[in-house]
Amino acid sequence: MSKVFLGAFVAIAGIAVGAVDYVNQARRAESTSGAFGATDYLKTITGRFGDHQAALAAETERNRLRGMDPRDHLPEAPEGWTRTDWDAGAEALFGGRYDLQKDDFAPDELKNDPMLKALTSAGKALVDAQDASEVYVYQKPGAVIAMRLTRLSPEPGGFSGMAMQMAANNIEAMSGKNGYAIVQGVTYREELGLFGAQAMERDHMVVTGQIGKELRISVRALAEDEDVLTLLNLIDYDRLNAMLSEPLPGIGSNAPVIAEEDQKAEAQRRVAEASRQQRIRARAADIDLQMAALEINRRHGRLDDEQYEAAKARLDAASQALRDEAAAPPVVVEEKKAEVEPEAPQETQLAAADAPAAEAPAAGGGGIMSMLSGLFGGGGSKAEAARPAEVKVNRGAFGNCSELGSAKRCTIGD
């Protein structure tokens, strides 16, 4: 008898759950329960089952794509080109990452420290592994292009994450950039380096593009724009978009069509607006840190209620002003030249909300500045001293460069 009651209870419960789902689906369809027919309800079941299956298939494909080396998503070499690994020749041509042992500004006691030597060795092994999995070098007579695809790590959280993000924002604010192109919905920018000066020191161009917060494409090129754009257009952006946790609209085959003659100006507009929003985020992060410091000072009795409320009111007003600024129409910024310094970052002030911005440090040639400039996305090789006469300079296996004064001209191939 108990089995009969149990079966009846399960049946009634199933009917009740189905009734609730029916009512919910009728509401979503903006229909009343009586007017929402059985056929309409069955269609929602079929549609939801199909959506679930599509989501499972997309997740399976995403995991497959993420399981591949990032560079496996870069294009094959087009006709007339060759594709090779990143090697010593490419490093000699484009410059490598920061190496403590090669830093003329680092003291010998640091270079000879056993712990630092071990860390340097481990770091080099990691960098070599990254280069092997992320980079391909494309060559043809007259052009060499190194292309890297990087999967970006999630932004750290917590108080330390806020500090790290502020440091990253300050580096970004110190870096010059120009709009370069829009390729299948992805905005590319030319990186001018810290204070816009590194583009003058190196003999190659650096271009980057980012898809959401998860993927970055970096290019170093001794080539004409036409060759760079040829390779960028060969990338399968639909596949890259499918790798994202949440694919973006307007990427790949779904990208809006922009006339070729308008792409440069549109890229510059997007880069200028992204820079404006980045500066706003940097100032917002500064306010967040000040707010956190304010709360800590209050809990430890360093501020009375009147001081706390006055400081909080200033921070709230500054935060509201930033929100208004972020919502304001963007201002079109003209293309920057390499010698023009970008706006300096703000110094983090934990005591006062209206503290003045810190003076931008001067760009240097070694130490931490060399380390920062050695990053693949924006670094460059160290400039050689100017010579009064033209001198041939061997640049590895890729060709020769000549210098006349501070100008440099490179010839690649025969």
Side-chain angles (χ1 to χ4, degrees), residues 394-406:
N394 187 14
R395 299 291 295 181
F398 300 99
N400 293 319
C401 293
S402 61
E403 289 187 353
L404 183 58
S406 60

Side-chain angles (χ1 to χ4, degrees), residues 62 66 149-153 210-216 243-247:
R62 180 159 45 248
R66 289 180 174 181
L149 178 64
T150 304
R151 287 190 59 195
L152 304 174
S153 301
Q210 194 161 312
I211 306 177
K213 295 183 178 180
E214 299 181 49
L215 295 175
R216 183 175 61 231
M243 293 174 64
L244 304 183
S245 300
E246 295 184 8

